[in-house]
Each structure stands twice: as structure tokens, then as C-alpha cells.
Amino acid sequence: MKNMISMRDLSKKDILHLMEIAAKIEDGEIVPDLKGRLAALLFFEPSTRTMFSFDTAVKRMNGSTIIMSGTKNTSSKKGETFADTLQTIAQYSDIIIMRTPVEGAARYASEIVNIPVVNAGDGANQHPTQALLDLYSIMKTQGTLEGLKVGLAGDLRFGRTVHSLAQALSLFGVQFKFISPSFLQMPEYIKDDLEARKIKFTELDDIEGNIDDLDILYVTRIQKERFADPEDYENLKGSYILKKSMLDNVKTNFKVMHPLPRVDEINTDVDDTKYAYYFPQAKNGVFTRQALIAILLGEV
Ligand code: CP
């Protein structure tokens, strides 16, 4: 691995290797040392978990970070191009971790700098490091990634996390339920790819009554910021909400996951149930991001 741009770039073997390294880092069996190494975190879009967990991951390995959170106080306001900004930051750092609203921007960045680039989210396209922590969370809670039944619910159209996760889980013989309003269905290019590889999925429009046979329900926020017409968002907001009362007949191993942030799609009465896993899931982001950075920088 030279960069981490898309889940499509990783094989099953790559993923399992990264999971193993993450588990050893969590257990303290491997302690990568990034002393003297510097990661540049360039966030052109807002973030809480991804930015701070990458920052935490680097610092836990004795490395240091420089952080750009928005472009307000940077020379892009004077007209500096994206390419010039990246080539400049690459002079100071050993790895670039970047989030932008532009699909394909991380791939482009990886082609113009000579240090590793990590895609921390590019528009509605991909969020591969979220998928890695999601896989790690599924592995921890289910003991395997193979042959599970997984529901992906919510904004499957604009939600980059579910695009990356569907592609990743498809390598492990997972059966999917895609649960969303029709306007927010999974993009055709992902469904076409699943069909071509004979991965089973069904499309449904309601959570209620459709989760009792699942191992994992992965809920996502409606991505307000990606709607061209605000009226479409107003019509769809609040259209699905997971409540504690819907969990009476779920399997004992069942877990509710969410990349967060949530708006109202998981009622807070779910938080205290044994099924809620979204906050431990966020914590797992540190271990998986430590593993990824250590691999990309040749420290493991
Ligand atoms: N899950 C996730 O990407 O969260 P942030 O937008 O807070 O980074």
C-alpha cells in the first residue's frame, strides 16, 4: 500500500492484514514509533471524529501533526491552487491525510505529491478509513467478517461511508439489506458491481420489521450538505428513525452502528441498550488509523 484512496484498491488480504495490525496495536503487542515523523491533516470540510482520531493516532505513536481545518486563514484565499497547496505541504510532512468536498480530489493529490496520501472523505464518493474502522468494529463484535447479514440504512445515495463499506464487505460474502427512501437509494454503479459478483442484496424503504434477521444495522445521517435542492432535504428529513421499541426481536449478537454524527436517525433511547455500538466504533477509529499510518510509513 502506497496510498489509501478507495476501498476498491484493497484486497481481502490487505484488509485482514490491517485488521490484525490494528488488533495488535490495541492490545499493546505492537507499538509503532513515529518519532520525528509528521502528518499533515488537511480538512477542507468539517470533521470531528476523522480529524481528531487521526491526530490522536499519530500522537499515540509519538509522531506530530499540522492541521488545516478549513481554508479561512490559508493562501488559498489569495488564489493559490489546490495543487500548489498540496505540493507545498508535502515539503513539510511525511504523509497527507485529506478531506475535501470534491470527488476524486484525493486520487488527484496522490498523483502530484511523492508522499502517501490518505482519503479522509471525498464528497459523496468514498470514506475508506471509516470503512476500515467499521470492518474492525464488525470483526470485534461478530468475531468474523464472513457471511454476515448487514443492513445499511439511511442516505445510501450521498453517504460516502456506505459506499466504501458495501464495497469492502462484498469481499466477505455478506448479504445486504439496503434500507432507504427511494430518492436516497444506493448508486447504480455499486449495485451493478455487486450484481456482477453475485453478492445478494435487497432494497427496502423501512427499518421497522426488517431488522430481526440482521447481525449489523448500519444507520447513516441524511447528508443535507450534498442536496442540490434544499426542498428535497426538507421532504426527506426525519423519514426513518431507529427506536428502542424496534429492537424487541433482534438477534442476541445484533449491533447498531453509525459513522456519526447523527441528527435524529437513532433515537437516544437506543444508546443505553446492549445493541448500541456507535461510540466504541468511533474509538476503534484510533487503532485502525494507527495501523494504516504505520503501514503506509513502513513502521510495521
Ligand atoms: N464519521 C465521520 O467521518 O465523522 P466526522 O465527519 O466527524 O469526521
Side-chain angles (χ1 to χ4, degrees):
M1 265 197 277
K2 187 176 175 300
N3 303 292
M4 178 73 260
I5 306 298
S6 163
M7 281 315 291
R8 294 301 303 274
D9 300 336
L10 294 191
S11 66
K12 189 170 170 174
K13 194 175 158 197
D14 293 331
I15 292 171
L16 291 173
H17 176 62
L18 194 140
M19 301 288 107
E20 194 185 325
I21 300 293
K24 286 183 176 170
I25 288 173
E26 183 176 2
D27 291 347
E29 251 184 84
I30 294 181
V31 186
D33 188 4
L34 298 190
K35 192 166 167 26
R37 315 293 286 275
L38 190 141
L41 276 55
L42 305 183
F43 279 70
F44 294 84
E45 273 192 334
S47 171
T48 297
R49 277 145 293 275
T50 312
M51 191 173 76
F52 289 119
S53 65
F54 266 118
D55 192 32
T56 304
V58 173
K59 288 172 177 166
R60 286 239 175 111
M61 299 188 286
N62 303 318
S64 48
T65 57
I66 49 174
I67 300 181
M68 185 197 84
S69 180
T71 56
K72 190 167 162 240
N73 295 315
T74 72
S75 287
S76 64
K77 291 291 172 207
K78 303 175 204 162
E80 186 165 42
T81 64
F82 180 66
D84 283 1
T85 302
L86 282 161
Q87 291 196 81
T88 303
I89 298 294
Q91 308 306 313
Y92 311 143
S93 52
D94 298 293
I95 184 167
I96 289 177
I97 296 153
M98 57 180 287
R99 168 174 288 187
T100 84
V102 181
E103 295 184 20
R107 177 83 63 199
Y108 171 66
S110 72
E111 287 163 4
I112 59 173
V113 299
N114 59 2
I115 59 173
V117 173
V118 175
N119 181 5
D122 62 329
N125 184 32
Q126 283 272 327
H127 193 347
T129 68
Q130 177 70 44
L132 292 173
L133 79 89
D134 295 338
L135 294 175
Y136 187 66
S137 300
I138 294 171
M139 182 86 101
K140 274 175 79 171
T141 60
Q142 307 297 317
T144 181
L145 295 173
E146 299 283 350
L148 299 169
K149 279 196 177 173
V150 176
L152 302 181
D155 186 347
L156 308 185
R157 177 177 179 175
F158 298 120
R160 56 195 173 198
T161 65
V162 286
H163 302 162
S164 295
L165 185 58
Q167 288 174 337
L169 284 172
S170 71
L171 300 174
F172 296 91
V174 162
Q175 286 184 45
F176 292 107
K177 284 185 182 177
F178 295 151
I179 305 168
S180 70
S182 59
F183 186 77
L184 298 176
Q185 282 181 349
M186 190 64 90
E188 292 301 324
Y189 76 91
I190 292 186
K191 291 189 285 189
D192 288 348
D193 178 53
L194 296 177
E195 274 168 357
R197 293 186 297 116
K198 305 211 175 344
I199 309 296
K200 289 187 188 155
F201 66 86
T202 52
E203 293 190 283
L204 304 157
D205 60 8
D206 201 354
I207 292 177
E208 193 150 24
N210 287 317
I211 61 175
D212 293 352
D213 61 342
L214 295 178
D215 301 298
I216 297 286
L217 176 65
Y218 190 96
V219 185
T220 61
R221 172 181 68 92
I222 296 183
Q223 309 280 301
K224 182 181 181 182
E225 65 275 26
R226 311 261 179 246
F227 281 68
D229 183 348
E231 204 173 309
D232 286 333
Y233 175 75
E234 289 302 317
N235 291 336
L236 287 164
K237 73 177 185 188
S239 58
Y240 61 97
I241 297 176
L242 180 71
K243 299 180 181 139
K244 186 179 179 181
S245 58
M246 298 175 183
L247 303 175
D248 289 345
N249 298 311
V250 295
K251 292 168 69 174
T252 53
N253 62 311
F254 176 74
K255 290 288 180 249
V256 179
M257 293 173 55
H258 191 308
L260 301 176
R262 74 173 147 186
V263 180
D264 59 1
E265 57 279 359
I266 299 179
N267 203 317
T268 51
D269 68 2
V270 176
D271 295 2
D272 294 331
T273 70
K274 65 177 182 179
Y275 307 113
Y277 195 72
Y278 21 96
F279 293 113
Q281 179 187 349
K283 182 174 180 176
N284 290 335
V286 175
F287 310 123
T288 46
R289 287 171 172 140
Q290 278 184 267
L292 176 66
I293 294 165
I295 290 169
L296 289 173
L297 292 181
E299 292 297 331
V300 288

